[in-house]
Amino acid sequence: MASLLTPADRDALAAQFGARVRFDEPLGPYTWWKIGGPADALVSIETGEELAFILRLAFKRKLPWFTLGFGSNILVGDGGLRGLVLRLGGSFDALDVRADDAQVVVRAGASAQMALLTAQAASRGAVGIASLAGIPGSVGGALAMNAGTDREIGEFVREVWVQTTTKPDPHPVDIRYFYRHTTLARDAIVAGVTLAFARGDSQTIRSDMQARLVRRKATQPIHMPNAGSCFRNPPGDKAGRLIEAAGAKGWRSGGAEVSPQHANFIVNVAAARARDVTSLLARVRREVQVRFGVELQLEVHLIGEFTG
Ligand SMILES: Cc1cc2nc3c(=O)[nH]c(=O)nc-3n(C[C@H](O)[C@H](O)[C@H](O)COP(=O)(O)OP(=O)(O)OC[C@H]3O[C@@H](n4cnc5c(N)ncnc54)[C@H](O)[C@@H]3O)c2cc1C
């Protein structure tokens, strides 16, 4: 489909962001699945002021936009994405971990890496941080998804700062957290968060974390492009167990495959297209529904235009 950006929009973006705006940029390389068509514009944003500028522009010009984290939980359609894709960096990478006798407090910008955050917080003795270890992605993405395992990031949030189209300057908001989703407003971009953890023995926490990382390595196909668990666990069961019992491990569609290692993962084995992944997702869903009467819900977010 045709770009939504007029030549004047392109000029305004180029004037503000210079080489940090890329027009008609394929998004595959920015996702863990390595799949996806082009964005009209991919903009790297380094400060709160720049983010406020672009949110005002999007509002004025009625341009749709999408916040891209590290792309570890999204499938971008082969047709790409119309409008603006916003990618935070620069001052949003900030990470500050402090500890006193009782607690560990983490202040992080939205584009700080969860891997760095968990490592630093664990070494200061943050109780519960091991549950967030090994989850790829950014702090903003983790917040938006309420990422976690046996415990989720929402449990540790003390404060969240966002910027929105109607209120572009950073401001705090109250959010509620549920299994892999939150009440974060659709037009809200997480700018930064403060997390607080009780303080415990860092040695114990680090060895728990290490054990979990080893388990992940053994059970997840992390050597292949993937986006983690495709489906949410239904109440009282595991999506991976149901998919495996449906006989789906190893199913192929084009360059996509249901991982023989972990049934809830789809891996890109040979230049897969988004439509290969969606056709596998549909087949898996149908089979689990027919065999077990369970309607699986997607955990990965489908973004942009899907064709075929
Ligand atoms: C190997 C592997 C293992 C995984 N294991 C787990 C796991 O154990 N538990 C788990 O919960 N997840 C897991 N995931 C999924 C994924 O890593 C998480 O959902 C992660 O938090 C997504 O972060 P991201 O930065 O990559 O977000 P993206 O994938 O880029 O985006 C995900 C969503 O968050 C939104 N978003 C991103 N940044 C912001 C922001 N600043 N403000 C507002 N919205 C934003 C996006 O718009 C999108 O809707 C795994 C993924 C992989 C590849």
Side-chain angles (χ1 to χ4, degrees):
M1 234 175 81
S3 168
L4 289 179
L5 302 181
T6 62
D9 293 329
R10 289 178 182 242
D11 288 347
L13 288 165
Q16 178 73 22
F17 294 101
R20 285 190 286 118
V21 56
R22 289 164 180 259
F23 297 107
D24 310 307
E25 176 78 354
L27 291 176
Y30 302 93
T31 73
W32 270 62
W33 247 325
K34 304 294 170 218
I35 295 174
D40 288 349
L42 173 68
V43 191
S44 294
I45 293 170
E46 298 195 335
T47 63
E49 291 77 24
E50 287 183 354
L51 184 53
F53 169 89
I54 203 143
L55 285 169
R56 288 192 180 97
L57 177 81
F59 187 66
K60 190 168 136 218
R61 287 279 304 112
K62 295 190 172 60
L63 290 171
W65 49 265
F66 172 74
T67 318
L68 178 65
F70 292 176
S72 65
N73 203 57
I74 55 168
L75 178 64
V76 177
D78 296 320
L81 218 135
R82 303 293 67 81
L84 309 171
V85 173
L86 312 179
R87 199 159 162 254
L88 306 184
S91 65
F92 293 102
D93 290 347
L95 178 61
D96 177 68
V97 181
R98 287 171 198 228
D100 62 23
D101 287 347
Q103 60 175 358
V104 177
V105 176
V106 177
R107 289 190 182 78
S111 55
Q113 293 177 34
M114 282 302 290
L116 219 55
L117 185 156
T118 50
Q120 290 192 16
S123 67
R124 307 305 287 273
V127 174
I129 195 70
S131 299
L132 307 181
I135 301 176
S138 63
V139 166
L143 229 291
M145 295 300 305
N146 191 22
T149 51
D150 52 332
R151 299 175 78 175
E152 296 160 332
I153 192 168
E155 196 185 322
F156 306 107
V157 171
R158 183 184 278 179
E159 200 170 43
V160 180
W161 286 69
V162 301
Q163 298 183 231
T164 68
T165 32
T166 46
K167 216 170 158 191
D169 293 319
H171 56 280
V173 283
D174 282 328
I175 299 174
R176 285 186 297 133
Y177 299 88
F178 303 97
Y179 172 53
R180 300 297 173 269
H181 68 107
T182 74
T183 57
L184 185 68
R186 283 183 78 86
D187 75 332
I189 298 182
V190 175
V193 304
T194 305
L195 309 175
F197 302 83
R199 189 157 191 211
D201 174 45
S202 67
Q203 196 70 34
T204 313
I205 291 161
R206 278 161 66 186
S207 52
D208 179 17
M209 192 153 138
Q210 198 50 36
R212 289 170 185 249
L213 291 173
V214 168
R215 205 155 54 235
R216 266 180 194 273
K217 236 181 168 169
T219 56
Q220 299 181 353
I222 46 183
H223 54 290
M224 307 284 288
N226 72 81
S229 293
C230 292
F231 296 99
R232 299 178 187 180
N233 289 324
D237 210 336
K238 295 263 184 210
R241 190 197 72 76
L242 290 165
I243 299 167
E244 183 169 354
K249 270 188 168 177
W251 281 359
R252 287 281 290 261
S253 169
E257 181 182 68
V258 176
S259 167
Q261 198 178 351
H262 190 313
N264 201 13
F265 279 50
I266 288 179
V267 286
N268 177 356
V269 287
R273 316 255 304 163
R275 66 164 173 257
D276 300 335
V277 176
T278 50
S279 86
L280 266 189
L281 290 170
R283 189 175 164 206
V284 163
R285 219 167 167 226
R286 213 166 34 238
E287 193 67 16
V288 168
Q289 167 79 59
V290 167
R291 292 230 199 169
F292 309 113
V294 176
E295 201 177 317
L296 291 177
Q297 303 297 323
L298 278 182
E299 178 168 328
V300 291
H301 289 186
L302 306 191
I303 310 297
E305 294 172 356
F306 287 80
T307 49

